[in-house]
Amino acid sequence: MFEKLRSFADIGRTQGITTSASVAIVGALTSTMPVMWYHILFLTILSIFAHMVLNTYIALGDVELDAHTYVPSRNPVISGLLSRKDAMGFFYAGTLICLVMIALLFFAIDPYSVLFCFLCAIPAFGSLIWYGWKGKKVLFSYDFSFSISYSFFVLFGVFAVGGMPTAFTWVFIGVVIFAATAFAQWENGLKDVDADRSVGVRSFAAVTNVRNNQRLHLTHPYFLYGCALKIGFLFCSFLGYWYSQNLNYLVFFLLYGIPSQIYIMYRFLTKEKPQDHRQTILLDVTFAAILAYSTIYGYTGVLPIVLLIIYLIGGYFIGSLVQTNCEFKFRRFSLSRK
């Protein structure tokens, strides 16, 4: 039984739950309403189910693809630890729980805010259902479905506390589009491109003739596209200063934000082993999240940002510990240099 539960953790990618939840939490923090501990708890529990059921649905559509990747064991349906029936049962049950939880907001906030929550939940959930169903094989859809989903999840966080968006909400949505989603897909497209191409996935990596385990070069179209995404991320992060005029944030942006993103792109130019790519992705999640959260400094102050970083990293370590075959785990990279 315990092994089967860990298989649900694997297919649901529990290591990323707090990453997804933090998107909605930042949305709440940038709203016009104060955020209480029970708001954080609600968004965390909702994200546990939403994150896991969507990853389960995507993984079921990726059985053929994952069989060709570097770590096929990360999909427990391939290894036989979970059946498709079990996985789909979890998907339906988890989706129902999400709907019930959103409906319960009628007892906590005004009906208009609940309506907006449902209107945001539909594209946030639906865009990833599309991604797992057919979206991977449609050009542009592979790279931007997550951008759509997470952008609406930011707004969901705003309305879930009964608030309205502020300028910092829109800044953070811009950050999410470029960093947390579009560039994350850039990275995923790079590490699994040969497997993607073999099953007809239409990612930008696949159509620009990128190959696994080959270094990118400065003039390669895919590297230039990645640079454009990072520039977009930095521009949206700079808007955090533009709206706040906070010199402390400007200094942080100049001394940490820009150098950290240059370092990430440097690694993609110089590293080529699968393990190195995964380590770079882990570093990028951490570096980019710290900068992304910091864009709201002028609105919230430093304490919520520090707590968000602890929340993200702590949740990541707990989630990866629960999993049996976590694809991304820091300790794994320190023990193996394949």
Side-chain angles (χ1 to χ4, degrees):
M1 176 61 72
F2 183 69
E3 184 179 10
K4 193 164 190 176
L5 289 174
R6 296 192 75 175
S7 296
F8 280 112
D10 280 332
I11 199 169
R13 299 194 177 188
T14 54
Q15 88 274 2
I17 288 171
T18 52
T19 304
S20 295
S22 68
V23 170
I25 292 170
V26 173
L29 289 169
T30 61
S31 76
T32 55
M33 293 293 288
V35 177
M36 309 302 290
W37 66 267
Y38 48 82
H39 294 134
I40 306 298
L41 180 62
F42 173 83
L43 291 172
T44 300
I45 295 173
L46 178 68
S47 297
I48 289 172
F49 290 102
H51 177 93
M52 290 185 67
V53 299
L54 285 168
N55 275 290
T56 297
Y57 183 82
I58 291 169
L60 284 173
D62 282 349
V63 169
E64 181 184 0
L65 169 62
D66 286 344
H68 292 82
T69 60
Y70 177 68
V71 278
S73 59
R74 68 189 178 190
N75 192 325
V77 175
I78 294 176
S79 59
L81 294 174
L82 276 184
S83 67
R84 284 183 173 271
K85 182 179 179 181
D86 289 337
M88 284 306 298
F90 175 70
F91 169 77
Y92 289 129
T95 301
L96 179 60
I97 291 171
C98 290
L99 290 172
V100 170
M101 288 189 68
I102 298 173
L104 289 175
L105 289 173
F106 276 110
F107 298 100
I109 55 178
D110 64 274
Y112 289 108
S113 293
V114 179
L115 174 61
F116 285 136
C117 283
F118 275 109
L119 291 177
C120 290
I122 292 170
F125 201 87
S127 61
L128 294 190
I129 293 296
W130 157 251
Y131 173 84
W133 179 48
K134 295 287 187 181
K136 280 192 171 187
K137 297 185 178 182
V138 177
L139 192 61
F140 298 106
S141 180
Y142 175 95
D143 293 86
F144 296 114
S145 290
F146 279 85
S147 295
I148 295 170
S149 178
Y150 276 64
S151 295
F152 279 100
F153 202 38
V154 174
L155 290 173
F156 178 90
V158 171
F159 299 123
V161 298
M164 294 296 290
T166 65
F168 288 90
T169 305
W170 302 113
V171 167
F172 186 69
I173 286 176
V175 164
V176 163
I177 289 172
F178 285 105
T181 51
F183 193 78
Q185 288 302 94
W186 184 92
E187 293 169 319
N188 285 328
L190 177 63
K191 72 180 177 65
D192 292 331
V193 62
D194 287 346
D196 286 343
R197 189 181 289 111
S198 71
V199 296
V201 171
R202 298 277 289 168
S203 66
F204 288 161
V207 300
T208 55
N209 297 319
V210 174
R211 296 289 177 183
N212 274 32
N213 306 326
Q214 289 186 4
R215 294 176 186 169
L216 296 174
H217 54 79
L218 282 170
T219 58
H220 194 287
Y222 196 68
F223 180 76
L224 295 176
Y225 167 58
C227 288
L229 292 176
K230 281 297 185 187
I231 290 170
F233 170 47
L234 289 171
F235 173 75
C236 291
S237 299
F238 176 76
L239 291 178
Y241 164 73
W242 184 266
Y243 284 107
S244 69
Q245 294 294 299
N246 188 291
L247 290 178
N248 291 331
Y249 174 75
L250 179 61
V251 171
F252 173 80
F253 174 78
L254 294 173
L255 297 183
Y256 167 81
I258 294 176
S260 68
Q261 301 309 295
I262 291 175
Y263 174 67
I264 291 297
M265 297 310 294
Y266 165 78
R267 284 185 62 92
F268 280 114
L269 280 177
T270 58
K271 305 293 183 180
E272 58 184 359
K273 294 180 180 179
Q275 291 282 35
D276 290 330
H277 280 176
R278 283 157 175 76
Q279 187 179 54
T280 302
I281 290 171
L282 276 175
L283 290 172
D284 185 49
V285 168
T286 305
F287 292 168
I290 292 172
L291 179 56
Y293 297 153
S294 298
T295 58
I296 67 173
Y297 172 76
Y299 191 71
T300 66
V302 70
L303 182 59
I305 296 169
V306 172
L307 294 176
L308 275 168
I309 294 169
I310 295 172
Y311 176 84
L312 172 73
I313 297 176
Y316 198 96
F317 276 112
I318 293 170
S320 63
L321 183 65
V322 171
Q323 291 182 239
T324 303
N325 292 300
C326 179
E327 182 183 7
F328 297 102
K329 186 178 290 190
F330 280 112
R331 186 170 180 269
R332 175 170 295 169
F333 298 119
S334 66
L335 295 176
S336 175
R337 302 297 301 168
K338 295 180 181 179

